[in-house]
Amino acid sequence: MSTSWEPLPSKYRSKQEFLASLPPWRRLLQKLNWHPTIDLKVQRYELQQRTLQEKKMIEQLRSDSLRVRSETEQIEKETEQIKKENERLAELNSKLDAIVFSSVTSSTPPPSTPSESEM
């Protein structure tokens, strides 16, 4: 509470704050002569502040959404690259298997090892 009898410096204040800033004799007179337009101005100011805060929050959400979207696109590109690389590796693996299989079948049989019964 203010110690001086000056009105509070706030442009928009509630009825209670305004009355608390007045000397006691003025407080009584002001209670009888209160203008509801002041309450409306206070409510309007509160609504304006809430609207500004919500706009800031919406803008922040939009920027976050754009960031997430770009990250998602980057991940999709990387995933597509990995798929292509996997396909290429599978193709190379099948070629390698074909080469190994053809070399095994065309090579001379390995020397026979003594069977277990001969030992």
Side-chain angles (χ1 to χ4, degrees), residues 84-97:
K84 288 178 182 178
E85 193 65 26
N86 281 341
E87 289 172 3
R88 190 178 72 80
L89 288 174
E91 182 182 329
L92 290 174
N93 196 19
S94 66
K95 287 180 181 179
L96 184 62
D97 286 344

Side-chain angles (χ1 to χ4, degrees), residues 74-90:
Q74 181 67 28
I75 289 171
E76 287 174 353
K77 287 178 184 177
E78 290 173 359
T79 303
E80 190 63 34
Q81 253 182 335
I82 290 172
K83 285 180 182 179
K84 288 178 182 178
E85 193 65 26
N86 281 341
E87 289 172 3
R88 190 178 72 80
L89 288 174

Side-chain angles (χ1 to χ4, degrees), residues 2-9 13 17-18 20-23:
S2 174
T3 56
S4 70
W5 297 110
E6 299 288 326
L8 294 174
R13 57 182 164 261
E17 288 174 324
F18 177 74
S21 69
L22 298 175

Side-chain angles (χ1 to χ4, degrees), residues 9-45:
S10 173
K11 181 177 177 183
Y12 298 101
R13 57 182 164 261
S14 68
K15 180 178 179 180
Q16 292 79 18
E17 288 174 324
F18 177 74
L19 291 177
S21 69
L22 298 175
W25 64 274
R26 280 288 321 261
R27 210 174 297 152
L28 181 61
L29 289 176
Q30 191 61 32
K31 283 183 183 179
L32 298 174
N33 194 24
W34 180 254
H35 299 285
T37 57
I38 294 174
D39 285 335
L40 293 175
K41 287 180 182 179
V42 169
Q43 290 173 353
R44 185 179 304 131
Y45 178 75

Side-chain angles (χ1 to χ4, degrees), residues 25-66:
W25 64 274
R26 280 288 321 261
R27 210 174 297 152
L28 181 61
L29 289 176
Q30 191 61 32
K31 283 183 183 179
L32 298 174
N33 194 24
W34 180 254
H35 299 285
T37 57
I38 294 174
D39 285 335
L40 293 175
K41 287 180 182 179
V42 169
Q43 290 173 353
R44 185 179 304 131
Y45 178 75
E46 288 173 354
L47 286 173
Q48 288 172 346
Q49 293 303 310
R50 262 193 251 141
T51 304
L52 286 174
Q53 189 176 20
E54 289 172 357
K55 284 181 181 179
K56 287 179 184 177
M57 193 170 83
I58 288 171
E59 190 60 38
Q60 178 68 31
L61 288 173
R62 282 185 180 149
S63 66
D64 288 349
S65 174
L66 288 174

